[in-house]
Structures are given as C-alpha cells and as structure tokens.
C-alpha cells in the first residue's frame, strides 16, 4: 500500500512526462487541458512543500483524472 507521499510524486511524474506532452503536441486543441495540468502540477508541488495533506489529496485526485 502506497502513502500519499509516495503516490503523489509518482502521479505528478506520470502527468508531466506522459500525459502533458501528448496534449502539447496536438497544439491549440490541447492547450486548455495542458494549462489545467500545469496548474495542478504547480498546486501539487506547493501542497507538498507546505505539507498540506488535504490539498495534496485533492490535487492527487485531480491528477488521476488526466488520461491520454
């Protein structure tokens, strides 16, 4: 069983390295989703830095929703 401290960085990496590039690659049609992903990645990094577990959980659930 993973902890949130393990799962969130892994989910951040998945979105940053796998999902986001695909949306950027398609150009203008993917920019809204790419902007939302970047915002969530920023929120995740901030929540982790601040140790805000509630925010970490919320952004983790949001990141899990991004698919190819």
């Amino acid at each position: 069983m993973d902890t949130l401290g393990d799962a969130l960085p892994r989910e951040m990496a998945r979105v940053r390295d796998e999902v986001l590039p695909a949306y950027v690659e398609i150009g203008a049609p993917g920019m809204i989703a790419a902007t939302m992903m970047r915002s969530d990645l920023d929120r995740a990094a901030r929540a982790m830095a601040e140790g805000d577990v509630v925010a970490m959980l919320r952004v983790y659930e949001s990141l899990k929703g991004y698919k190819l």
Side-chain angles (χ1 to χ4, degrees):
M1 177 171 238
D2 281 342
T3 66
L4 182 58
D6 295 329
L8 181 55
R10 189 170 41 254
E11 194 62 25
M12 291 169 70
R14 182 189 72 84
V15 171
R16 181 188 64 240
D17 299 338
E18 298 173 19
V19 182
L20 181 58
Y23 281 82
V24 170
E25 188 175 311
I26 63 172
M31 284 302 117
I32 292 174
T35 301
M36 291 171 53
M37 287 179 217
R38 287 185 182 112
S39 176
D40 281 346
L41 289 168
D42 290 344
R43 286 180 34 226
R46 188 171 35 259
M48 288 179 61
E50 294 172 357
D52 186 341
V53 176
V54 173
M56 288 169 63
L57 186 56
R58 286 182 179 149
V59 75
Y60 173 70
E61 290 300 322
S62 181
L63 290 171
K64 284 190 342 183
Y66 294 117
K67 308 286 184 213
L68 288 178

